[in-house]
Amino acid sequence: MLRKIVVAVLLLGLTYLGTLAFLVWEQSRDDEVRSSDAIVVLGAAQYDGAPSPVFRARLNHAAFLFDTDVSKLIIVTGGKQPGDRFTESEAGANYLLGEKGIASDQILTESEGTTTLESLRGVARIADQEGIDSVLLVSDPLHSRRIKTMALDLGFDSAYTSPASYVELNRSRATKVRELLHEVASLLAYQWLNR
């Protein structure tokens, strides 16, 4: 009897994890571009003020969306690691200003967050001040499910995702599998531990 219970619990656990993995993968393939009050770019690594290739891909995608008039405002997120001279949001905003020619009054920064949830909480505070109700979130494709879930939980009326393309980065299949597993674990941590 105990063995049957253990097997049933394991099967339920695997089914739950499989469902989460499917939902993460499914959302990663869905580009939900539509007009929103703000485009939100989730920060990524920067090197002494220069966005990493992953961050640059996100910023390029946000600039493309901005140029198609889906929003007149971009919010760039991300704090800094110990020893850094620049926050991720500073590096991103400077890139959008200098490389993409977007006016400074059309860019806001959230510079405190060092995790996805902290960054989106910061965006929610900015949204309250600026009257922003809807956001179009730009990040990694496999990050999309988690950031959309968090944004809706934080009270946005509408949260959509438009993932950046990393075709030029030539990521391996093994890297994508690791990212999928990381996102499933991170979504679990958010759902069960609120972090």
Side-chain angles (χ1 to χ4, degrees):
M1 180 66 170
L2 179 61
R3 185 176 177 182
K4 287 182 181 179
I5 292 171
V6 170
V7 169
V9 168
L10 286 173
L11 287 175
L12 280 173
L14 288 173
T15 301
Y16 179 65
L17 291 174
T19 301
L20 275 185
F22 174 76
L23 292 172
V24 167
W25 176 82
E26 184 180 50
Q27 184 72 50
S28 76
R29 300 166 54 84
D30 192 7
D31 192 341
E32 302 173 324
V33 173
R34 62 200 72 199
S35 294
S36 300
D37 295 334
I39 298 164
V40 177
V41 186
L42 277 294
Q46 58 81 29
Y47 308 116
D48 202 31
S52 65
V54 166
F55 196 14
R56 197 166 50 248
R58 295 180 190 182
L59 294 162
N60 288 340
H61 187 60
F64 167 78
L65 293 170
F66 181 86
D67 288 343
T68 62
D69 292 326
V70 298
S71 182
K72 290 297 180 191
L73 182 67
I74 299 177
I75 302 173
V76 186
T77 76
K80 61 181 172 180
Q81 302 300 317
D84 284 351
R85 293 194 311 142
F86 298 90
T87 64
E88 292 171 0
S89 59
E90 284 177 298
N94 290 338
Y95 178 83
L96 292 172
L97 286 164
E99 297 293 324
K100 298 299 177 181
I102 297 172
S104 60
D105 63 349
Q106 295 179 299
I107 304 170
L108 296 176
T109 58
E110 179 290 312
S111 58
E112 299 300 317
T114 57
T115 67
T116 299
L117 185 55
E118 287 175 3
S119 292
L120 288 174
R121 283 178 176 153
V123 171
R125 287 190 292 275
I126 292 169
D128 285 343
Q129 296 165 359
E130 301 289 330
I132 294 167
D133 296 315
S134 60
V135 288
L136 181 60
L137 304 159
V138 175
S139 190
D140 296 359
L142 291 169
H143 200 197
S144 296
R145 179 73 183 198
R146 182 160 51 110
I147 59 176
K148 181 175 182 174
T149 300
M150 289 176 173
L152 291 171
D153 288 349
L154 287 167
F156 286 99
D157 291 344
S158 304
Y160 309 105
T161 60
S162 183
S165 171
Y166 298 135
V167 172
E168 70 277 8
L169 301 182
N170 199 22
R171 288 178 158 179
S172 70
R173 186 170 283 143
T175 298
K176 292 175 184 175
V177 169
R178 280 194 304 274
E179 289 172 353
L180 176 61
L181 294 174
H182 171 78
E183 279 305 315
V184 169
S186 296
L187 195 52
L188 273 173
Y190 173 68
Q191 290 176 341
W192 291 92
L193 304 172
N194 196 32
R195 59 178 198 169

